[in-house]
Amino acid sequence: MAASKKNSKRKFRGEVYIDQERCKGCGFCIEFCPTHVLALADSFNQKGYYPPVIADIEACTGCDLCGMYCPDFAIYGVKIRLDVVQEEANHEC
Amino acid sequence: MSKATNPVESYLRMDRMPSIWCPGCGIGIVVNCFARALQQMGVDHDELAVVSGIGCTGRIAGYVDIDSFHTTHGRPIPFATGLKVARPDLKVIVMSGEGDLVSIGGNHLIHAARRNSDVKVICVNNFTYAMTGGQAGPTAPRHSIATTAPYGSFDKPFNLPFLADSTGAVYVARWTTYHVRQLTRSMAEAMSKPGFCFIEVISPCPTIFSRRNRLGDGLDAMRYYKNSSKVVNGANTRMVGLDLNGPIIVGKFIDRDRPTLLEAMDEEIGSKLGKRYVPYATTGVQR
């Protein structure tokens, strides 16, 4: 536990889930992400839209604003507690 | 990547996705905020009903996994009022567009507000009749181009919060699709408040309104909302009219208390009939 506190003061880390085939490429999530986690993909999906891809997952706080802005329910963020993850890792050891 | 499911999926009919709405349309954001408001309140699917009319926004009734009506054009509020009278235990939410609620259904809107019928109206305002090809709607701003106004609209548009306020709504708010957190909170507040609540949501229409007026796509509209909107809670609704590309005043304008339709009926008839009258709003229909 002491080591995890030393490495990072963050209590949470973020995770973003993207359903690329459901995306219509409006770009709201990329524009309004407060920490600029997302970027436009280089390739298009089956319907011909360019979905978002994760460019910088380290910056993600899991605030889920991308999920609130998505008109097609194709993306959402979750907060993951770092101390819980760390404890689980310790138990496994 | 893990296969966790989107938290709003339990309130939506995901088998009908993708929705018919254009890329950059804001109606999906309104549905998203609505589902999140329900999730935050912890409302059960059986405690509420969604009624919508005709138009792009009228399609919402088909996408929510809640008992819903897709009514005839302009008539969601009479349907919702009847539903509320028959089932006073339900929360009844009307979600429709401004072309449905304010033009053909304008009379129903003002009279439901006057009688304080206990329905929650979420009016998505995109300034045009988008589904029928872009005719000038009742809120089309002056100088905006529409199919029926090729040289610019010259009619004075409706100021929807003022209309709802002056006819007696107990809760009036306006947000844009940029203000997702405020909109979610406002929906939750309206759903827990008895009486006629009116929330106007300004939404981009990239395919019709923005294209005809050369305003860019949905993202440009969202940037405009971000830069030009100002939150003034409790603002005088007379002053919150909209212009093409002008400032947008958003916020919660009105929050007051009045007896609802059923409460007023109980009070009036109960005072005349005494014990012979069984109060309706509290007991509801015996099923």
Side-chain angles (χ1 to χ4, degrees):
Chain A
M1 281 302 285
S4 73
K5 274 181 187 170
K6 208 177 197 177
N7 290 342
S8 165
K9 287 176 182 170
R10 291 173 66 184
K11 287 183 177 171
F12 295 96
R13 100 186 144 77
E15 191 88 65
V16 183
Y17 298 98
I18 304 169
D19 186 341
Q20 304 215 330
E21 295 308 321
R22 208 182 278 163
C23 177
K24 289 183 191 160
C26 65
F28 293 168
C29 52
I30 301 169
E31 174 82 12
F32 296 117
C33 175
T35 52
H36 309 289
V37 172
L38 302 163
L40 210 59
D42 294 329
S43 57
F44 46 80
N45 64 13
Q46 277 183 0
K47 297 210 161 144
Y49 299 117
Y50 289 90
V53 288
I54 295 166
D56 182 12
I57 192 64
E58 285 300 310
C60 183
T61 60
C63 69
D64 196 24
L65 202 63
C66 51
M68 298 194 80
Y69 275 117
C70 183
D72 293 289
F73 320 103
I75 186 170
Y76 60 98
V78 286
K79 266 191 167 78
I80 296 171
R81 280 187 64 168
L82 279 175
D83 49 346
V84 173
V85 173
Q86 193 63 40
E87 276 175 20
E88 281 170 3
N90 288 345
H91 282 302
E92 279 169 16
C93 292
Chain B
M1 193 164 279
S2 154
K3 283 285 175 190
T5 52
N6 194 328
V8 296
E9 282 187 13
S10 63
Y11 289 100
L12 302 172
R13 297 179 201 216
M14 295 312 285
D15 53 322
R16 298 196 179 183
M17 300 290 166
S19 60
I20 59 150
W21 299 310
C22 310
C25 176
I27 299 172
I29 301 179
V30 179
V31 181
N32 204 332
C33 292
F34 176 65
R36 276 157 202 274
L38 296 182
Q39 197 184 26
Q40 283 172 18
M41 293 171 73
V43 184
D44 191 75
H45 288 56
D46 298 332
E47 288 173 26
L48 57 127
V50 172
V51 186
S52 66
I54 298 296
C56 290
T57 320
R59 303 298 286 260
I60 288 179
Y63 292 119
V64 288
D65 191 14
I66 297 164
D67 291 343
S68 53
F69 276 132
H70 191 179
T71 67
T72 45
H73 198 0
R75 316 290 172 233
I77 292 178
F79 259 80
T81 304
L83 193 58
K84 185 70 192 178
V85 169
R87 288 281 305 272
D89 54 320
L90 283 183
K91 288 180 196 297
V92 184
I93 294 117
V94 172
M95 296 176 92
S96 203
E98 97 287 353
D100 184 69
L101 286 173
V102 188
S103 56
I104 186 168
N107 235 335
H108 300 304
L109 179 83
I110 59 175
H111 286 285
R114 174 178 68 83
R115 301 160 82 190
N116 202 15
S117 168
D118 193 2
V119 298
K120 320 297 163 204
V121 178
I122 295 163
C123 176
V124 180
N125 183 0
N126 54 15
F127 306 106
T128 190
Y129 293 108
M131 189 170 269
T132 51
Q135 292 80 6
T139 57
R142 271 191 179 155
H143 317 300
S144 66
I145 308 291
T147 318
T148 50
Y151 300 105
S153 172
F154 45 81
D155 298 323
K156 182 174 166 51
F158 261 132
N159 174 355
L160 297 185
F162 181 48
L163 178 72
D165 174 21
S166 56
T167 48
V170 294
Y171 183 97
V172 180
R174 172 199 275 159
W175 298 106
T176 73
T177 47
Y178 172 71
H179 300 87
V180 280
R181 290 204 194 277
Q182 293 94 326
L183 176 60
T184 307
R185 192 165 58 232
S186 201
M187 284 178 179
E189 271 180 27
M191 276 188 268
S192 47
K193 187 174 174 67
F196 186 87
C197 302
F198 185 87
I199 302 173
E200 179 191 8
V201 189
I202 295 168
S203 163
C205 177
T207 311
I208 304 285
F209 184 77
S210 292
R211 180 172 61 87
R212 284 195 195 284
N213 289 285
R214 304 254 188 275
L215 298 175
D217 60 6
L219 196 51
D220 290 316
M222 292 286 273
R223 286 195 196 107
Y224 156 60
Y225 299 156
K226 182 183 178 183
N227 297 328
S228 303
S229 59
K230 191 178 166 197
V231 179
V232 186
N233 288 317
N236 183 356
T237 52
R238 196 182 283 272
M239 313 302 289
V240 300
L242 296 171
D243 297 319
L244 189 65
N245 290 328
I248 303 173
I249 297 190
V250 296
K252 182 171 88 173
F253 301 135
I254 302 291
D255 192 352
R256 62 186 162 212
D257 291 310
R258 268 176 67 206
T260 65
L261 169 64
L262 294 179
E263 285 167 1
M265 184 181 84
D266 279 351
E267 190 186 337
E268 180 67 23
I269 303 178
S271 69
K272 300 282 160 57
L273 296 184
K275 285 182 181 171
R276 281 185 294 156
Y277 180 71
V278 180
Y280 193 85
T282 47
T283 58
V285 183
Q286 296 295 324
R287 291 191 302 280

